[in-house]
Amino acid sequence: VQLQASGGGLVQAGGSLRLSCTASGRTFSLYGMAWFRQAPGKEREFVAGIRWIGGSTYYADSVKGRFTISRDNAKKTVYLQMNSLKPEDTAVYYCAARLGSSDYVFDLTSYYGMDYWGKGTQVTVSS
């Protein structure tokens, strides 16, 4: 599975950005996708995740109410709409994919649980 992310950029605090990530390759066994981020000097952290079948969503407490994750099954694309951005949202954002059967439940919030990673896209929020 290959993941191609786009949509990062520079925005002022309070502004919005939308990230996109398109999956290609062995997507028939896609269980879910997620966004993680990594700020300078910090560990990579979970931001939001979505199950491919059913569309259940998961969010980090720090982004609840501001960020929305969604998917387009036909395009094999996941989106992250980021509103009310804060300087502390500044980071490199990575999309990730987890393969597996929807008969099981896998943790999309864990860095170690993801199978494939895209190249990051930089999001910078100025104060």
Side-chain angles (χ1 to χ4, degrees), residues 11-101:
V11 65
Q12 288 188 331
S16 299
L17 280 175
R18 189 175 84 152
L19 305 183
S20 301
C21 180
T22 298
S24 60
R26 209 179 89 187
T27 59
F28 61 88
S29 56
L30 193 60
Y31 173 83
M33 294 179 69
W35 290 95
F36 291 74
R37 67 186 180 186
Q38 188 166 18
K42 295 188 176 181
E43 293 186 351
R44 194 169 298 188
E45 64 175 3
F46 168 76
V47 176
I50 187 166
R51 287 187 64 175
W52 215 249
I53 304 298
S56 298
T57 57
Y58 312 89
Y59 294 95
D61 288 342
S62 58
V63 306
K64 279 181 182 176
R66 300 188 299 122
F67 291 11
T68 302
I69 190 169
S70 61
R71 77 208 188 291
D72 183 323
N73 286 22
K75 295 181 179 180
K76 291 295 186 285
T77 299
V78 63
Y79 305 97
L80 185 67
Q81 178 66 43
M82 305 185 292
N83 298 329
S84 303
L85 282 161
K86 305 175 181 180
E88 49 264 44
D89 294 318
T90 295
V92 176
Y93 284 69
Y94 298 89
C95 67
R98 177 63 161 96
L99 303 185
S101 169

